[in-house]
Amino acid sequence: MTAEQVISFNSLHLPSFRSICRPPPSIPLTSTTKRKLLEGDTKKRPGPPPEPTLSTVDMRFMPCAFASFLALRGGQLGLAAATPPRNGSIANSPPEPRPDGKITPKIMIVSMFAPEAQVWYDNMPPSSHGNLLAVNITIPGLSPRYPHVHCREDLQVCQVTTCEGEINAASSAMALLLSPKFNLTKTYFLLAGIAGANPKYSTIGGVALARYTVQVALQYEFDAREMPDNFTTGYVAYGTTQPEEYPKILYGTEVFEVSNALRDAAFNYAVRANLSDNEDSKKYRARYKPEGKIFAKASSGPEVVKCDTVTSDVYYSGTLLSEAFERTTGVWTNGTGRYCMTAQEDNAVLGSLVRMAVYGVVDFSRVVVMRTGSNFDRPPPNVTAYEHLLVLKQNGFEVAIQNLYLAGIEIVNGILKDWGAVFDKGIKPCNYIGDVLGSLGGEPDFGPGSETKGVGFRPPGNSTTRAIV
């Protein structure tokens, strides 16, 4: 991309970093700045100002306002260097020019709140993986707390922060996808956030790569004190009268399935990471040992696993709710999904990606969903759900943030290294991908079947049904 094309981006800030609480006024491109860009000024741009150190509390579902009150950055977490690119540094590879002047990233990292983003900003430059704050682009419609997309200088890797929760995530994702500043047709999206871990399948600090994301709280709900005596939970799927039945009324966002072949490729890269751990996390894990084999993963050290995520705006905790949503995941994925991480945003982001994939704006086969455990979704033996959530310190936040980067950078570098041989043309999915409605074509392997008889929805004018104007 030429300097002239870079200048054409409206509201491009060089640098343009802001406090999480309030974005700064736009920094205009002065004649001096334009001249330096045109002449190829390559001086190192200043990084962000010093920020307060983040307390290692559990912030998996912390509201944006409280997260911003605590701090923007996760602090310098002292990460070991990730495996370097096999062909040397990729940070200085020239960007691929486009005649339309649009940014064409190979990878878009999707963070949900500040610490998940900051770990990339802090650790990529010293490890020669590039500076994600080299180019900062204002996108209308992103969260006011995170109004920019950040990119390396070569524009091959970019990052966006959605802000927590389903509404924030969907709004920010759609703003990015609709931005005229990007061409995302060949971009790989890496959803990378911390989560609550199911002790049956993972642990604090553990890394999970998902095939399914399930919006488990999209149901009727009774207060458990008022539910019928024969109910196992107060959650009942829409259009049904008993728990653990498949919804008869579908909103379309209940379940998403991403490419299993791409997940396998991402897994093979992520397992190269030397994951972080600490003594405080080990102490809380040890509380699960009395449960024996069923919670063996909980009491073990962090590792990369393949299992699925659930989405709920409600930050729930406890054995009864967690087991109820385990069963929901099984029913809604026809027995193939395995819930191991809880989150707030995955279905929201994937819903936006599916809708824009219908129009060819993105390729839904290029999506990786990764979560790291910052806490457990249910308590260990002899600990109440209340104590587990609000009294005891699980000490998983720091290692979850660290391992988000350590596993994630291996995926990023793997895609870049093998771009020409594999990822440019893409990895053909070996499974159904998309939503429960069959929006992208094909027949879902869960739910009642495609609403489009396998054809998929088409842009207006190309639909199999008559468009209503």
Side-chain angles (χ1 to χ4, degrees), residues 13-200:
H13 304 312
L14 296 172
S16 176
F17 204 81
R18 77 274 179 258
S19 163
I20 186 172
C21 295
R22 184 180 297 114
S26 298
I27 302 174
L29 285 175
T30 65
S31 58
T32 301
T33 305
K34 291 181 179 180
R35 176 177 55 78
K36 287 184 177 181
L37 283 171
L38 290 169
E39 291 173 356
D41 179 29
T42 58
K43 292 182 180 179
K44 184 178 180 180
R45 299 180 178 88
E51 303 282 353
T53 300
L54 178 67
S55 172
T56 55
V57 297
D58 174 20
M59 297 174 69
R60 172 171 59 108
F61 288 130
M62 189 168 291
C64 290
F66 190 36
S68 64
F69 168 75
L70 287 178
L72 169 63
R73 60 190 295 135
Q76 297 290 344
L77 295 175
L79 301 184
T83 306
R86 272 62 177 176
N87 295 333
S89 175
I90 51 179
N92 297 318
S93 301
E96 298 180 7
R98 284 186 57 87
D100 57 10
K102 293 187 177 183
I103 298 175
T104 59
K106 293 177 179 176
I107 300 168
M108 180 69 70
I109 300 163
V110 181
S111 307
M112 318 308 164
F113 75 139
E116 295 170 352
Q118 193 67 43
V119 72
W120 295 91
Y121 307 155
D122 287 343
N123 290 282
M124 283 182 67
S127 59
S128 301
H129 297 304
N131 179 8
L132 265 181
L133 298 176
V135 180
N136 308 287
I137 305 135
T138 302
I139 301 296
L142 293 183
S143 167
R145 293 190 173 101
Y146 311 102
H148 309 303
V149 172
H150 304 286
C151 299
R152 290 188 340 185
E153 191 165 8
D154 63 7
L155 306 178
Q156 293 188 11
V157 181
C158 295
Q159 181 272 337
V160 65
T161 305
T162 65
C163 202
E164 306 100 312
E166 294 177 68
I167 294 175
N168 280 321
S171 300
S172 294
M174 191 58 75
L176 169 66
L177 300 179
L178 290 173
S179 172
K181 299 175 183 179
F182 289 90
N183 182 312
L184 303 171
T185 54
K186 299 181 74 173
T187 299
Y188 287 84
F189 291 84
L190 173 60
L191 281 61
I194 61 175
N198 180 343
K200 295 179 182 179

Side-chain angles (χ1 to χ4, degrees), residues 59-64 110-113 116 161-171 173 191-195 213-215 256 309-313 342-353 369-371:
M59 297 174 69
R60 172 171 59 108
F61 288 130
M62 189 168 291
C64 290
V110 181
S111 307
M112 318 308 164
F113 75 139
E116 295 170 352
T161 305
T162 65
C163 202
E164 306 100 312
E166 294 177 68
I167 294 175
N168 280 321
S171 300
L191 281 61
I194 61 175
T213 69
V214 183
Q215 195 177 9
F256 292 95
T309 71
V310 298
T311 297
S312 169
D313 267 339
T342 69
Q344 284 183 305
E345 300 87 10
D346 292 346
N347 282 60
V349 175
L350 295 185
S352 296
L353 289 169
V369 179
M370 181 180 71
R371 289 282 176 173

Side-chain angles (χ1 to χ4, degrees), residues 215 218 238 247 249-256 347 350-351 354-355 432 434-439 446 451 457:
Q215 195 177 9
L218 194 62
Y238 291 150
I249 299 172
L250 292 173
Y251 287 12
T253 58
E254 287 82 358
V255 182
F256 292 95
N347 282 60
L350 295 185
V354 163
R355 291 187 183 191
Y432 170 82
D435 59 14
V436 68
L437 304 179
S439 294
F446 53 88
E451 283 194 2
F457 292 111

